[in-house]
Structure formats: C-alpha cells, structure tokens
Amino acid sequence: AQNALLKTLEEPKASKIIILISENCLLSTTTSRAQTVKFYLAKENTVIDFLKKEGVEHRKIQELVRLAAGRHGLVLEFLRNQDKIEKHQEDARKFLALFGETKPFNLFAFDILGKDLDRARERWQEFSEVGLRVLRDMLLKSLGLNEHVVYNLSEAEDKLLKNFSLFL
C-alpha cells in the first residue's frame, strides 16, 4: 500500500497536504518523501490544568490522569463516556485473569476480541495496552511503589505476584 502512495507523495497537487499517521514503521521510500512530525504525551500538569478548567472534581482528576497516562485524547474519551473507564478497568481484570491461566488462544480471542473480526485488531491493541499497564503496576507494587499504580486490582495482582519473582 505504501508503494502505491509513492507517486502521490512524489508529485502532490499544488496546495494539497497529505497527512499519514502511523504507529508502525514506514518504508524508507515513504519516509524520504515526507516530513516527520512527532506527537508526544501530554505532561501530567497540562492534563490536570485542563481537567480543572473543565470542572472535574479532584478525585476524578487523579483517576483520569493515571488511566490516560499522558494521552489527552483518552482523557477526552473518558470525560465523554464514563462507561469507557469501567471498560478499561474490566479489561485490566480480564487481563489478570487470563495472565494467571493457561487458556487456549481461540477461547481467549472469542472472550476478549469478540465475534467482530473487523474490530478485532483495534480491540487487541486496546487490550494489550491495558495488559502492559497491568504488568507495569505489578512491577511497581513488587518494588513498593504503590503510589504510581494505575489500576486498583490489588487482590488479583497480589495473588499473581506470589507466583512470580522479580529479578533486578
């Protein structure tokens, strides 16, 4: 697909701007014809200031800041849809449950990704991101850094932590 874009990238029509957004590696032939603009995570203070201006209560600000981890778009999603916060937490609980089991992949895929194959890739990305943050929380807890933990899943995490050791 990237090779198909090369002609367009090489000779764009006058006054046209083409924006390519990618989390994956682009071919060198594509990047050599483009200008890279990197987007960074928002600083915690910036997110807090924004949420204060929106009139969000202090307790909720702390939760949103932890869950969004600098991704201001996710903060906005959480503000618009409170159910998304619970879904995020539910994914964390599901990840812990699956992490502690040996479940065949087809059951895992059906349970987590669902029947909609078109949405499965996006759903996998969301779920694996939550999973990585859960693993990060477990590492932080094992180091005694509980104040930096995002998810409050202490019973399930503690049970799993007993089964794993930390090597530094």
Side-chain angles (χ1 to χ4, degrees), residues 58-88:
H58 179 73
R59 183 189 57 78
K60 192 71 166 177
I61 287 175
Q62 297 307 316
E63 178 184 18
L64 291 171
V65 167
R66 283 193 328 272
L67 286 174
R71 295 164 303 184
H72 55 282
L74 193 52
V75 169
L76 294 174
E77 283 184 48
F78 287 151
L79 283 176
R80 290 183 193 127
N81 185 355
Q82 295 295 312
D83 292 340
K84 183 136 179 119
I85 294 173
E86 181 53 40
K87 183 182 171 304
H88 213 71

Side-chain angles (χ1 to χ4, degrees), residues 5 38 62 70 96 101 111 129-130 153 168:
L5 281 174
K38 293 187 179 189
Q62 297 307 316
L96 278 172
E101 295 178 14
D111 186 36
E129 181 180 301
V130 169
L153 306 166
L168 294 178

Side-chain angles (χ1 to χ4, degrees), residues 102-121:
T102 54
K103 208 173 202 182
F105 183 77
N106 59 344
L107 292 176
F108 163 78
F110 184 76
D111 186 36
I112 302 302
L113 303 180
K115 297 176 188 176
D116 182 359
L117 294 179
D118 293 332
R119 177 137 159 50
R121 181 172 183 251

Side-chain angles (χ1 to χ4, degrees), residues 17 54 73 86 99-100 102 147 155 165:
I17 297 174
E54 293 295 310
E86 181 53 40
F99 190 70
T102 54
E147 67 274 9
E155 289 178 25
S165 60

